[in-house]
Amino acid sequence: MAGQPVKRNYANATLDYLGARYMGVGSEVCSYTTQAVQIPMRDGINLEADFYSPELPDKDSPAGLIMIQCCYGRSAGISFINARIFAARGYQALFVSTRGTYGSGGTFDPGSNEQSDSQDIVVWMRQQAWYPGSFATLGPSYLGYSQWALLHDPPEDCVAAVIPVSPHDQASHAWNTDRASWSDMMSRPADEKGSFFSRLWHLPGLSFLRPVELEKAVEGLPLEASLQKYFGHRAPWLFEYLKHPDVEDSYWASRRHHISLERANIPILLVSGWYDTFTRQTIHQFRTLHERGVNPNLIIGPWTHVQGSGLHSMPEIMDFLAEHVAKTGEYNRSQVRVFVTGSEDWRSLPNWPPPSNPTVLYLQAQGGIGLTLPTQGARPSAFVFDPLDPTPSIGGNQMSGGGRVNDSVYADRMDVLVFTSEPVTADIEIMGCPFVHLMHESDPPFADLWVRLSEVDTDDISHNITEVYQALDPARDMSQPLKLTLQDCAHRFRVGTRVRLIVGGGFFPMYARSLGTAENRVSSDKAVPQRHTLTIAGGVSQLVLPVAAND
């Protein structure tokens, strides 16, 4: 079934013009029409979609077809960046609402149906008179996840993909508080969600504006019961996540698409941000594809999740589509482009990470860190993490409220350890993954560790660079050093700045806090403070920086 094509109105034309100008893309080449269509699935339900068709002279053909699957609706703000901006530059665009969302039939169960539904969309497209014989896929975040689901069994006529800030594996991002705010948005009726602008607080990246009631639910103990009281019968998937903490559980099988990285054989543009919640997965995608010789392109900017979704990379996306879909242009950028924080410039590279030399900085007594090996008599450093007054999550790789921030407040807290170097006397550029060796003990053994690398500038203000969070194995051998690998970064410590390492036992509310007991952390209300101790003597606790080989 299909409705009548509708010409673009003045309001959308104005939004298209202003949005494209903000993003720095070239001029429009045409207007377009929008046609409501229904796409049948193999189980009998229909997906609602809008088909965008460029209005071109009779002698001209569309530049190509782009397929987009979206769970966030098809309203003006969402459709602009994912469909309309391309239709106004000569592309056809099929903008499909995910199963169980915004008029599409069936039940929304995040991640479970995209693999089969995307294949059914392709079958339907091939039967349409307007189908040009090939297509590309596009879209950030959950829209990108849908692309990886399709590439589980890559269609021969899929010729390219643009995948910003997107996971291929839902299990590895099963639980943090972003999932609660995201689930709150996705579980509300479409009419309750209202217009795009009235729903801004629900959107990934802006959920720091979420209701106080939800914040209180996340803070409550037991966590599962507190969330259940807030959600009621909404968002049943959220509680399935909590019941299946093991990523190898069969529950996650349909939501993990590592096989797509082994099967995809098309040009792929990957976009991420140093402060995106999916950066680690995007870099893994690049490395796997690159090692296979697929030669994807990777862009990593100084961006959060929303910023990395295409807001700042649209010119590159347009050039990528021009070469691989329209066949009218050339994507003449290097395989890897990363923004180096600290020096605040872009760097072109043939691969990621580039060659580096490991440089060891030793944790020192009384909060120092540097090249000098501590004496055997250096006293241990310790702190206590209290789950009833948890260390707050400030900045970093959060989907909401993250990014590069002033994190100087940690230096005044008693529930973290802060190690700060003397001012560096020559620029130090790091590219890749820093890691730490920590001779660490916790009492009780049920504990988490959060480690952050920051820079203290010449005004004595600290800003975050990268970090890692790890729930520790209570059966670990505490006589052996613990190795934790921080997330990839590219940063230059300028002369006069200082290196800072922050070690804590929590990062709340981004991560569900350790309660310090053997009981399940989401179903228990028993909380025990945890004492963390780091051995400093002899240099057994250290930070290893990947200093760029040419630095």
Side-chain angles (χ1 to χ4, degrees):
M1 296 177 61
Q4 291 297 314
V6 178
K7 290 181 177 292
R8 177 173 61 168
N9 60 31
Y10 177 79
N12 281 340
T14 301
L15 179 60
D16 290 349
Y17 170 78
L18 295 175
R21 185 169 182 177
Y22 170 78
M23 293 183 181
V25 301
S27 301
E28 295 184 355
V29 301
C30 62
S31 188
Y32 55 81
T33 62
T34 309
Q35 184 179 21
V37 297
Q38 291 187 334
I39 306 174
M41 299 291 101
R42 67 189 68 180
D43 62 353
I45 67 103
N46 290 327
L47 301 185
E48 295 284 337
D50 293 326
F51 176 63
Y52 291 81
S53 180
E55 293 186 307
L56 297 166
D58 291 340
K59 62 182 179 63
D60 294 339
S61 299
L65 171 64
I66 302 172
M67 169 182 153
I68 310 102
Q69 300 176 72
C70 180
C71 63
Y72 302 120
R74 305 186 307 281
S75 62
I78 293 290
S79 63
F80 163 69
I81 194 172
N82 293 298
R84 300 204 322 267
I85 193 170
F86 305 106
R89 285 153 185 81
Y91 292 91
Q92 299 168 309
L94 182 66
F95 194 37
V96 186
S97 281
T98 303
R99 175 184 291 256
T101 70
Y102 294 87
S104 288
T107 300
F108 181 61
D109 185 13
S112 62
N113 295 296
E114 280 70 19
Q115 184 178 336
S116 59
D117 284 355
S118 60
Q119 295 290 338
D120 289 353
I121 295 170
V122 172
V123 169
W124 178 85
M125 285 196 308
R126 292 169 179 158
Q127 300 169 352
Q128 307 311 304
W130 44 257
Y131 185 64
S134 64
F135 69 99
T137 60
L138 180 143
S141 195
Y142 197 95
L143 289 69
Y145 169 78
S146 298
Q147 295 179 69
W148 287 119
L150 172 68
L151 293 174
H152 193 282
D153 297 293
E156 293 182 359
D157 42 353
C158 181
V159 296
V162 177
I163 311 180
V165 294
S166 301
H168 59 276
D169 180 2
Q170 291 276 356
S172 65
H173 189 67
W175 170 248
N176 62 36
T177 58
D178 289 324
R179 302 303 284 181
S181 57
W182 183 84
S183 295
D184 191 34
M185 173 187 70
M186 294 306 303
S187 62
R188 292 180 180 275
D191 55 352
E192 183 181 345
K193 295 170 187 174
S195 69
F196 171 77
F197 294 103
S198 68
R199 291 187 290 111
L200 277 178
W201 73 265
H202 284 293
L203 294 178
L206 294 174
S207 55
F208 58 89
L209 299 174
R210 61 194 173 192
V212 173
E213 292 80 4
L214 179 56
E215 295 284 0
K216 291 181 178 179
V218 170
E219 294 171 358
L221 292 177
L223 177 60
E224 184 176 19
S226 182
L227 289 173
Q228 189 70 68
K229 181 179 179 180
Y230 174 81
F231 280 94
H233 297 293
R234 296 188 294 120
W237 60 81
L238 178 60
F239 301 95
E240 289 300 316
Y241 294 166
L242 301 182
K243 293 176 184 175
H244 299 90
D246 183 359
V247 297
E248 302 300 331
D249 192 292
S250 59
Y251 169 80
W252 296 109
S254 65
R255 297 167 172 82
R256 312 187 75 193
H257 298 290
H258 293 274
I259 193 66
S260 302
L261 308 182
E262 302 295 335
R263 293 177 176 175
N265 196 32
I266 57 175
I268 297 178
L269 175 59
L270 300 169
V271 182
S272 188
W274 293 127
Y275 309 108
D276 175 38
T277 191
F278 299 120
T279 308
R280 194 180 295 273
Q281 288 204 47
T282 299
I283 292 175
H284 175 72
Q285 293 157 12
F286 172 80
R287 288 174 178 166
T288 303
L289 294 168
H290 187 269
E291 289 170 2
R292 291 181 48 229
V294 175
N295 296 325
N297 289 97
L298 173 66
I299 302 170
I300 308 180
W303 304 320
T304 61
H305 184 70
V306 169
Q307 293 168 338
S309 65
L311 294 178
H312 300 289
S313 55
M314 192 57 71
E316 289 91 342
I317 292 173
M318 288 293 182
D319 288 350
F320 182 85
L321 293 174
E323 176 174 343
H324 298 295
V325 181
K327 309 297 184 183
T328 59
E330 183 177 343
Y331 186 81
N332 57 3
R333 293 167 175 83
S334 61
Q335 194 155 12
V336 177
R337 291 182 67 240
V338 300
F339 187 87
V340 182
T341 56
S343 64
E344 307 303 304
D345 62 358
W346 285 92
R347 206 69 54 82
S348 295
L349 303 167
N351 198 0
W352 182 265
S356 63
N357 299 314
T359 298
V360 178
L361 300 181
Y362 300 100
L363 276 61
Q364 311 282 344
Q366 286 150 5
I369 187 170
L371 297 172
T372 304
L373 194 70
T375 67
Q376 290 294 341
R379 295 175 61 85
S381 297
F383 68 93
V384 175
F385 172 76
D386 183 357
L388 298 182
D389 183 21
T391 311
S393 45
I394 303 172
N397 296 87
Q398 305 183 58
M399 192 177 290
S400 59
R404 181 180 183 271
V405 299
N406 179 346
D407 63 3
S408 304
V409 65
Y410 287 122
D412 297 323
R413 293 188 64 90
M414 301 299 294
D415 57 355
V416 297
L417 294 176
V418 176
F419 301 90
T420 307
S421 75
E422 295 296 322
V424 302
T425 56
D427 285 5
I428 302 173
E429 186 167 283
I430 59 174
M431 287 198 177
C433 291
F435 62 90
V436 293
H437 286 290
L438 300 177
M439 190 61 75
H440 170 268
E441 297 180 22
S442 64
D443 182 21
F446 309 98
D448 298 348
L449 265 183
W450 167 67
V451 178
R452 168 176 284 183
L453 175 64
S454 294
E455 176 194 80
V456 182
D457 65 22
T458 54
D459 293 322
D460 203 33
I461 298 174
S462 175
H463 292 92
N464 54 305
I465 300 170
T466 184
E467 59 198 54
V468 65
Y469 193 93
Q470 181 66 55
L472 302 178
D473 181 358
R476 66 193 183 280
D477 183 355
M478 295 190 196
S479 68
Q480 297 299 313
L482 182 69
K483 179 180 178 180
L484 296 178
T485 301
L486 283 70
Q487 185 167 279
D488 292 74
C489 65
H491 183 80
R492 179 173 282 266
F493 291 94
R494 292 288 195 183
V495 171
T497 64
R498 291 178 287 161
V499 179
R500 171 166 286 178
L501 190 73
I502 305 170
V503 181
F507 195 61
F508 183 81
M510 182 174 175
Y511 293 101
R513 63 202 132 173
S514 168
L515 299 181
T517 75
E519 298 178 37
N520 188 307
R521 72 175 66 195
V522 302
S523 59
S524 174
D525 62 356
K526 182 180 179 182
V528 177
Q530 302 130 51
R531 182 176 178 81
H532 294 254
T533 304
L534 294 183
T535 299
I536 303 296
V540 291
S541 292
Q542 53 192 244
L543 165 68
V544 182
L545 298 176
V547 176
N550 60 351
D551 203 58

